[in-house]
Amino acid sequence: MPLPSAEYSDADRSVPFEEPSPADRPVASEELSHADMLLPSAELSPFDRPHSAAELRQANRPLFLEETSPADRPHSAAELTHCGAAPEPPAVDGSRESSEEIDWSWLATLEARASDLRTRHDESPRPHSAWLRASMRRVRPFRLSDPPGGSLDNPSTRLGPLATPDTVLDILANNNRRPSSAPGGGGSRVRRDFPRRYSSYTATILNGSAANLTQATEPVAVATPSSDEEDLSSASEGARTSGAEQGTDSGAETVSIGTSTRQNSEPEMQSTPLGTWPHSLSSMLATLGCTLGLFNISRFAILSIHFGATFIVQFLLLTMVIGIPLFTLHTCLGQCLAAGVMDMWRISPIFQGIGVALLVSQALIGIYSIVGVSWMFIYFRDSFITKQDSYRWAEPYDLYREGADMVKNISWKLEETVPDYFNSIVLQRHNVEMPESSFGHVKFQVAFNLAVVWMIVFVSLSKGLKSYGKVVYVFSLFPVFGTLVLSTKLLGLTPTNTSHQVFPQTVWDEFFLNTKCWVAATVEVFFTWGLLGATAMQITSHNRHRHLLNRDTSLVVVLTVAVLLLAAFLANTCVAILHSHGFTYIPSSFEHISTYGFLQPESEPLPPALASTPVRYMTHTVLIAGSRVTVPGIDSRQQSGYQVLRLATELVPSTLALLGADGISPFWAVLFYFVLILFGIAQQLCIWHCVITGIMAINTAALKSWETTITFFSCVCGFILGLPMTTELGIFVVHFLDYAIGSSWWLMVLYLIEILVVFVVRGRPYSGETVVATLFSRSAGCLHAWAAPLLVFTWNVILPIALVVVCIMVFKNGRFRDLYSWRSLTYNYWPVWTREVGCMLQILPILLVPLGCIVQTCRYLSSGPPDILDVSGET
């Protein structure tokens, strides 16, 4: 097929058409390509072939001639540049001409000759060339290379920049100008509080100096690829491979250079002032500590015993509806804004009080929950025995059981020895029949173990993310694998000669009817996925830009559900072993020696209240450190039904004591308590990392260098505030704080306010679509098509409604209204002054929200920025 091969010079663009010789015909390597997609040379019409190698090199890709009339073609340099083609400037007297002075008559002549040739051969345009031309119009970003026959140093051939600094700043100012209806009006001020989803190119222009801006707008600048370009490049991956083998690869080199330049510049621009994680999996393992801890593992296991498999199914259903959306909301906010609960409110400083309230709530939870980890050290110490010895919790305590038979008959003394050990050895209570009215002195053993835990926390967090990012592998990975191994061993001890079910309290006919089970499952879902949501936000704020958050979130969800299910099977296995040896597990209360028993021999009748009402019908008040089971007919002024860590202090010790060192090796007891200690410390590291980082976020520039000092004083203050829980009445202090702080209804109110402020009051550019883009990329395909809108709808509609319903339900079910009855004589379990303190602990975090609004408003009225929603005027 005859092809035009003569190159048209700048002086004469209308060169007569000549039949090229075989030597002059383009070889197979000169293909038509867009994003390196190849087309065979035989399939190309004369109008689809490149006509000038100089034009190909100048535009960095082939120039296609469209099969349209001259009127439909671009006739100006601006239009050609918009379409992706860079016209070759004619060299006249060594200087460049403007686009208006260039003679484009050669283009009409070339089109006429092409039309004659098409008519002569009667060929229709190939669909491949049409697809390529359509694809070229979609791609806006491109790279310019050196013009043919010269370099950028040659003034006669040097191309002008894509844009000047003033032009770029004007465009960005127009795109980021606030609407006229917003507070402060639609001025020309450029907003700098954009999310991290914006391109690094834009961030460089806004934050760089004038010199850097000029350099960024040179022809070699790399623009952030659009989603269409990503789709196009992925669709033409195979064509690029074949093109590299057959023809020139200058375009591929340009793309690779641009990609490497962009990747090398992103970490420095996207790093937060508080640092980033040293390893890619550090963020995931640290976030795992927010959902898996010593307390929620024990709670989930005990609730699965009381309600059976119906509780597990309800928990999984509510996890999909409420739990995972609440968890992903905080993780996405952290990575999208690159900020935690304190510094995230630069998007709306008037609501800074929400961040302070959430920070205080995490600190309060960490102060009283850490004492439970210190208790596990005592069980861990007494687990080191030989096969000739017996566990210390299988031996009677003389001071509690004066005159009792000292023969170590474990089978009938088990219901006494295990609870006696927890109260006498672990808590070191000496007056369990009539508790004292004063705190008494500090118990050295409990205080020493508490100090050890705080020392571990300080050492792990003293160097910030450098130390925390390394120790998190030990405190998160090892307990997960240890739980798997331990559960496999204990599940093999399930008695086979009994008809006892795995979940004996399961009644599927009451799946929708038992409201007690639904309430317990709902609260447990919130405690698992939302209790430490502010901590999860702080952890993900240290992620690098474009971190694989969907991978981390998926792993955390899978590992959390797996460990909780293993804990449920482990607890029910212990119940089955106890049942096979003639014991029934019943709810207990910690107050007196007559109420803290949890094992009832089957040879003896059950108490009337337990015999008439199954445990699944009793009211369960789920708290953070423990749970409270209200048994009908008991005196609520003397017996609360509360107990902490029932799995670690009741079920497992009694099962190990029943089997003895001959039935199961003491190694498994050591492993069990070591795993619980690691789970507890991992959760405390998460909490106090959030608190310490939140304090530094108040003024990062001044406080970052004081990180070790702030960590030290935070640990010292936490230890001092925890000393009342190491006294004679320490268990009562834990119960009170768990009843006041662990009720969690006030925390639901804070999360509700947070969601409404971010998505409703503040809104764009921090809408749900912006935040969910951190979790789902456009390359996710169908997952992005349906999962992202569904998650956004859940954040904006379902989650706020669910939080309101759950808050009211928890407040009513747990009878927390009694805490606000200061003159009533019907509730005498807590003195009046303790109820007043409890009310203050619940109301104070909520009051910090309007207090913060007042303070920020005063700052704005006195010396604030022109816009109250702006942060440029803040220090």
Side-chain angles (χ1 to χ4, degrees):
M1 182 183 300
L3 294 174
S5 62
E7 296 185 359
Y8 300 94
S9 63
D10 296 334
D12 187 6
R13 296 287 183 176
S14 301
V15 178
F17 178 82
E18 297 179 2
E19 178 72 15
S21 62
D24 297 331
R25 185 181 299 276
V27 295
S29 62
E30 296 183 18
E31 313 86 14
L32 294 177
S33 65
H34 177 66
D36 297 337
M37 178 168 288
L38 306 179
L39 288 178
S41 178
E43 298 182 4
L44 300 177
S45 62
F47 325 104
D48 300 327
R49 296 184 182 275
H51 296 276
S52 173
E55 295 173 359
L56 290 180
R57 289 191 299 271
Q58 180 176 343
N60 205 15
R61 57 177 177 76
L63 177 63
F64 295 92
L65 297 178
E66 301 187 9
E67 301 147 359
T68 56
S69 62
D72 298 333
R73 298 184 181 274
H75 296 281
S76 65
E79 295 175 347
L80 286 176
T81 305
H82 179 71
C83 295
E88 180 181 1
V92 179
D93 296 334
S95 61
R96 294 177 297 176
E97 295 181 357
S98 62
S99 59
E100 292 79 4
E101 298 175 358
I102 297 177
D103 184 13
W104 297 101
S105 60
W106 64 273
L107 183 61
T109 305
L110 190 60
E111 290 171 351
R113 295 184 181 277
S115 179
D116 296 339
L117 187 60
R118 172 170 299 158
T119 305
R120 188 182 314 130
H121 292 277
D122 193 17
E123 293 183 355
S124 60
R126 295 286 182 178
H128 298 283
S129 60
W131 178 87
L132 286 172
R133 288 191 301 275
S135 301
M136 288 171 58
R137 300 189 191 100
R138 296 171 57 194
V139 180
R140 293 180 297 274
F142 60 91
R143 173 185 285 271
L144 297 179
S145 60
D146 294 347
S151 62
L152 293 177
D153 298 331
N154 188 358
S156 62
T157 59
R158 181 182 177 93
L159 296 178
L162 299 179
T164 62
D166 296 336
T167 305
V168 176
L169 287 177
D170 292 341
I171 295 174
L172 294 175
N174 293 330
N175 293 337
N176 292 277
R177 184 180 294 125
R178 291 183 52 79
S180 58
S181 60
S188 60
R189 173 179 45 84
V190 178
R191 295 191 56 81
R192 298 177 182 266
D193 55 346
F194 48 87
R196 290 176 60 175
R197 71 178 180 89
Y198 292 116
S199 64
S200 58
Y201 184 73
T202 305
T204 305
I205 295 176
L206 288 179
N207 299 326
S209 60
N212 295 334
L213 179 59
T214 305
Q215 183 179 0
T217 54
E218 289 294 329
V220 296
V222 180
T224 303
S226 61
S227 60
D228 295 336
E229 184 182 5
E230 294 174 356
D231 298 340
L232 182 61
S233 62
S234 62
S236 60
E237 183 177 359
R240 286 199 303 268
T241 305
S242 59
E245 298 174 355
Q246 298 180 9
T248 179
D249 55 353
S250 60
E253 292 177 356
T254 303
V255 174
S256 62
I257 293 174
T259 304
S260 61
T261 303
R262 182 165 58 252
Q263 291 177 352
N264 292 336
S265 61
E266 278 178 359
E268 289 78 14
M269 290 183 295
Q270 300 295 344
S271 60
T272 61
L274 295 173
T276 57
W277 291 104
H279 306 287
S280 59
L281 290 179
S282 298
S283 175
M284 185 274 294
L285 296 177
T287 310
L288 188 63
C290 300
T291 58
L292 278 180
L294 171 64
F295 297 103
N296 64 326
I297 291 176
S298 178
R299 285 194 316 266
F300 187 88
I302 297 301
L303 291 175
S304 66
I305 296 174
H306 290 171
F307 295 105
T310 56
F311 167 80
I312 298 178
V313 176
Q314 293 171 0
F315 174 84
L316 296 178
L317 291 177
L318 293 173
T319 294
M320 298 296 296
V321 178
I322 302 176
I324 294 179
L326 183 59
F327 174 70
T328 54
L329 170 64
H330 290 100
T331 55
C332 291
L333 279 175
Q335 182 165 329
C336 178
L337 302 177
V341 292
M342 287 296 295
D343 48 345
M344 70 166 288
W345 298 108
R346 65 174 183 265
I347 66 175
S348 185
I350 194 173
F351 296 104
Q352 184 70 47
I354 301 178
V356 178
L358 290 175
L359 190 69
V360 171
S361 67
Q362 304 299 292
L364 292 176
I365 294 173
I367 287 174
Y368 84 90
S369 63
I370 197 172
V371 70
V373 184
S374 66
W375 296 339
M376 296 299 101
F377 276 93
I378 304 176
Y379 282 94
F380 178 71
R381 179 200 63 189
D382 293 338
S383 298
F384 289 91
I385 62 172
T386 62
K387 289 189 175 182
Q388 290 76 24
D389 299 330
S390 60
Y391 292 101
R392 192 172 181 182
W393 52 79
E395 301 174 356
Y397 188 63
D398 298 343
L399 297 180
Y400 285 4
R401 309 289 177 179
E402 295 181 359
D405 189 4
M406 298 303 297
V407 179
K408 297 181 180 180
N409 188 356
I410 299 177
S411 60
W412 67 273
K413 286 187 176 181
L414 192 62
E415 65 275 12
E416 299 178 357
T417 57
V418 176
D420 287 350
Y421 172 83
F422 175 66
N423 286 273
S424 62
I425 305 300
V426 178
L427 302 180
Q428 295 188 353
R429 297 174 59 191
H430 297 302
N431 193 356
V432 294
E433 191 61 37
M434 185 62 64
E436 299 178 0
S437 58
S438 61
F439 287 99
H441 62 279
V442 175
K443 309 297 181 180
F444 174 77
Q445 179 179 252
V446 183
F448 177 78
N449 293 331
L450 184 62
V452 170
V453 178
W454 278 112
M455 289 176 61
I456 296 175
V457 172
F458 169 72
V459 172
S460 301
L461 300 179
S462 58
K463 298 300 181 181
L465 295 178
K466 294 181 181 179
S467 57
Y468 185 28
K470 297 180 177 63
V471 301
V472 72
Y473 282 86
V474 178
F475 290 110
S476 295
L477 281 181
F478 185 85
V480 171
F481 290 107
T483 303
L484 177 61
V485 174
L486 182 65
S487 300
T488 304
K489 173 62 178 179
L490 292 183
L491 287 176
L493 300 177
T494 304
T496 57
N497 56 350
T498 179
S499 59
H500 188 78
Q501 300 178 359
V502 179
F503 298 98
Q505 292 292 332
T506 303
V507 180
W508 293 110
D509 295 338
E510 302 174 354
F511 183 82
F512 296 101
L513 301 178
N514 192 353
T515 58
K516 309 295 183 183
C517 185
W518 280 103
V519 172
T522 304
V523 179
E524 184 63 27
V525 164
F526 177 79
F527 281 158
T528 302
W529 305 107
L531 179 66
L532 301 182
T535 302
M537 183 191 305
Q538 186 65 62
I539 290 174
T540 55
S541 68
H542 302 295
N543 291 342
R544 299 180 184 272
H545 183 48
R546 294 182 181 177
H547 180 76
L548 298 177
L549 187 61
N550 52 357
R551 178 202 64 182
D552 292 358
T553 305
S554 302
L555 289 176
V556 169
V557 171
V558 171
L559 292 178
T560 300
V561 173
V563 171
L564 292 179
L565 291 178
L566 290 176
F569 280 99
L570 174 62
N572 284 271
T573 300
C574 294
V575 173
I577 294 175
L578 293 174
H579 180 74
S580 63
H581 287 77
F583 289 97
T584 303
Y585 181 71
I586 60 175
S588 62
S589 186
F590 74 93
E591 285 84 5
H592 307 286
I593 193 173
S594 59
T595 60
Y596 61 49
F598 59 91
L599 289 180
Q600 182 72 23
E602 294 183 352
S603 58
E604 300 179 5
L606 291 173
L610 295 174
S612 59
T613 305
V615 179
R616 64 179 181 273
Y617 292 138
M618 299 179 185
T619 301
H620 287 67
T621 304
V622 182
L623 304 174
I624 294 178
S627 59
R628 187 179 66 183
V629 181
T630 304
V631 180
I634 64 172
D635 187 4
S636 60
R637 294 175 296 180
Q638 301 295 328
Q639 183 176 349
S640 63
Y642 176 83
Q643 187 59 278
V644 296
L645 296 173
R646 297 176 188 266
L647 176 66
T649 61
E650 293 181 348
L651 272 179
V652 174
S654 58
T655 303
L656 294 174
L658 189 63
L659 296 177
D662 297 333
I664 182 173
S665 174
F667 166 77
W668 300 105
V670 174
L671 179 62
F672 173 76
Y673 287 107
F674 184 62
V675 164
L676 291 184
I677 289 173
L678 292 182
F679 271 128
I681 294 178
Q683 194 165 69
Q684 294 300 320
L685 292 179
C686 296
I687 295 174
W688 290 103
H689 169 73
C690 173
V691 174
I692 295 169
T693 310
I695 295 174
M696 291 191 300
I698 299 174
N699 192 343
T700 307
L703 299 178
K704 178 61 178 176
S705 59
W706 295 80
E707 183 174 10
T708 303
T709 305
I710 295 174
T711 304
F712 175 76
F713 281 103
S714 298
C715 295
V716 170
C717 293
F719 173 72
I720 294 175
L721 294 176
L723 286 179
M725 291 176 286
T726 64
T727 60
E728 178 73 22
L729 299 180
I731 185 64
F732 287 91
V733 178
V734 173
H735 178 206
F736 169 73
L737 294 177
D738 207 18
Y739 180 69
I741 301 174
S743 57
S744 75
W745 67 266
W746 55 275
L747 189 58
M748 299 178 189
V749 174
L750 293 179
Y751 284 154
L752 177 63
I753 299 175
E754 176 191 20
I755 295 174
L756 294 178
V757 168
V758 173
F759 292 143
V760 178
V761 178
R762 183 58 178 91
R764 293 183 181 274
Y766 308 98
S767 60
E769 293 81 3
T770 303
V771 177
V772 81
T774 312
L775 188 64
F776 299 104
S777 61
R778 293 187 179 273
S779 60
C782 61
L783 185 64
H784 177 270
W786 66 269
L790 181 61
L791 194 58
V792 172
F793 175 78
T794 305
W795 289 345
N796 288 273
V797 180
I798 298 179
L799 197 56
I801 297 176
L803 287 176
V804 173
V805 174
V806 175
C807 178
I808 298 174
M809 180 177 59
V810 169
F811 188 84
K812 182 178 180 181
N813 180 77
R815 296 180 58 187
F816 295 109
R817 185 179 179 181
D818 297 337
L819 200 60
Y820 297 85
S821 301
W822 299 342
R823 297 182 180 180
S824 176
L825 300 178
T826 58
Y827 186 76
N828 296 327
Y829 186 87
W830 296 111
V832 175
W833 69 270
T834 58
R835 282 177 273 174
E836 294 174 351
V837 173
C839 294
M840 181 192 69
L841 292 176
Q842 291 182 350
I843 299 299
L844 182 60
I846 300 178
L847 294 179
L848 289 176
V849 177
L851 181 62
C853 294
I854 296 174
V855 172
Q856 292 295 89
T857 303
C858 294
R859 294 179 61 187
Y860 161 72
L861 295 176
S862 59
S863 59
D867 187 354
I868 193 174
L869 298 177
D870 190 23
V871 297
S872 58
E874 292 189 359
T875 58

